[in-house]
Amino acid sequence: MKRRQSETNGESKRTRFDTRPDPTLYLDTINRNVLDFDYEKVCSVSLSDTNIYGCLVCNKYFRGRSMDSECFLHSINEDHHVFVSFDTLNFYILPENYQLDEQTASSLKDIRTLINPTYTDLVAVYQDATPKYDLNGRKYIPGFVGLNNFGVNDYANVILQCLAHVEPLRDFLLLNPSKLHKTNLAAKLSLLVRKMYSPNLFKAHISSHELIQYISTLTNKKFSLNHQSEPRDFLVWLLNALDKELTTELQTPLMSSIFQGKLRTQAGKSKFWMITLKLPPVTLFKDGARLEVPQIALEDLIKGTNYNIIKYPQILTLYIHRRDDSKKIAGVHGSNINPTIVKFNPSQLVVGGQKYELLANIVFTAGKDENYSMDESDQTHYKVQIRDSLRDQWLEMNDLKVEPIEKDLLFLNQTYLQVWGKMH
Ligand SMILES: [Zn+2]
């Protein structure tokens, strides 16, 4: 139809039709295997953070499309031609500088989905137990994808993995990206969690780079990719910051309704995000010979505290204080980590008449990890074990590695922080 029109409509129109650049010309130069869009959206040359485009050939980001822009120069210098705008998700060909029509762009729908996965219902999250495959045929389970460690950001990744499995928070973040446009932190967390659950990943792992870079700026580098922090401190900061943002911008008390409990102190009532449990002091060597790691039941540890809890939260977070900087504990590589094993039953914890089940367990290893090459000798490394209720299994996520783990062996690790969900 279109063609006949241009044939009958005279010379000028036909000429324009014929010389129009072929929109598919460069599409086969797109290299999906390198694409992830997980990095902070800043120009890799100018560090500008506005009007940023992603190169679909090399996965690098650049500013602008004008003739003096970094993006334009990249297309000339590197002979890369297909770009996506992170503001509009439109595709552009440079240096010719034209936008791909929607029909052509629809063949790149998978790239738009990779940049911004969305969900209209959560049926797949709750019911689809089949594994998915990345572009290299690597199997992965949506919701249980490894997160890149740039050196020391495992402290943040384990917390993000935990939060992605707190159902009411997860469902809110998956379903409401458009509601979150007024927010920054929640919007970026939403994007990360939406990627974690995507059945359409190009690579079987993702990266929290964009979110952590944002937090690093927000906290004046208190939490960053470049130096280690305590996961507990990161979680408390994150819960407070999300609570503040969601109550201010969206008038929703979502965070406090999920995570906050109340306790009575001498000064009156106060709210808490988590309960700190102190381990009894240990002497590791018995008779100077045999190494004996003490054990204590989690219930006993909780009873030993003198918190007067008047409201137990929907999600109960327990932090086990293992670090003892006052004196070195003999035996474990001169470490100051209390190695006491805390025994617990992941299926049930009864406190204050409430029944909880374990959702996530953060553990740590002191000293050098085989997968971990840092210069500091007393480096701490965190990994997280998470319940996969859909497939009735536990999975341990250690940076990029995701492996099943026996539920009955969870307690053998040096538990650092636990997330328990109230049973209905
Ligand atoms: Zn490029």
Side-chain angles (χ1 to χ4, degrees), residues 55-60 62 74 78 80 83:
C55 173
L56 301 187
V57 181
C58 69
N59 199 37
K60 284 186 182 155
F62 302 96
H74 177 74
E78 301 297 324
H80 294 175
F83 297 85

Side-chain angles (χ1 to χ4, degrees), residues 339-357:
T340 300
I341 286 175
V342 177
K343 295 189 78 175
F344 56 88
N345 172 6
S347 304
Q348 186 169 295
L349 171 72
V350 182
V351 279
Q354 306 278 358
K355 278 185 192 165
Y356 287 91
E357 55 190 342

Side-chain angles (χ1 to χ4, degrees), residues 7-73:
E7 275 169 0
T8 53
N9 278 0
E11 192 67 29
S12 65
K13 193 146 192 174
R14 185 161 66 225
T15 306
R16 204 173 342 139
F17 181 80
D18 289 340
T19 57
R20 202 185 131 207
D22 177 1
T24 63
L25 185 61
Y26 295 116
L27 294 197
D28 60 355
T29 65
I30 295 174
N31 186 1
R32 284 175 169 77
N33 285 305
V34 302
L35 299 181
D36 57 40
F37 308 111
D38 290 347
Y39 287 76
E40 186 187 20
K41 304 300 185 300
V42 295
C43 174
S44 58
V45 178
S46 68
L47 303 183
S48 161
D49 63 355
T50 50
N51 199 18
I52 301 303
Y53 295 78
C55 173
L56 301 187
V57 181
C58 69
N59 199 37
K60 284 186 182 155
Y61 308 154
F62 302 96
R63 181 193 62 92
R65 288 201 327 274
S66 59
M67 286 182 73
D68 61 346
S69 69
E70 288 81 3
C71 202
F72 184 90
L73 293 174

Side-chain angles (χ1 to χ4, degrees), residues 185-219:
L185 185 61
K188 287 190 165 60
L189 179 63
S190 163
L191 180 59
L192 180 70
V193 174
R194 282 184 283 127
K195 286 182 176 183
M196 282 177 170
Y197 281 88
S198 171
N200 306 305
L201 292 178
F202 288 7
K203 300 173 190 170
H205 53 82
I206 57 175
S207 160
S208 55
H209 185 274
E210 186 169 14
L211 175 64
I212 298 180
Q213 282 294 87
Y214 175 73
I215 292 174
S216 172
T217 309
L218 205 60
T219 61

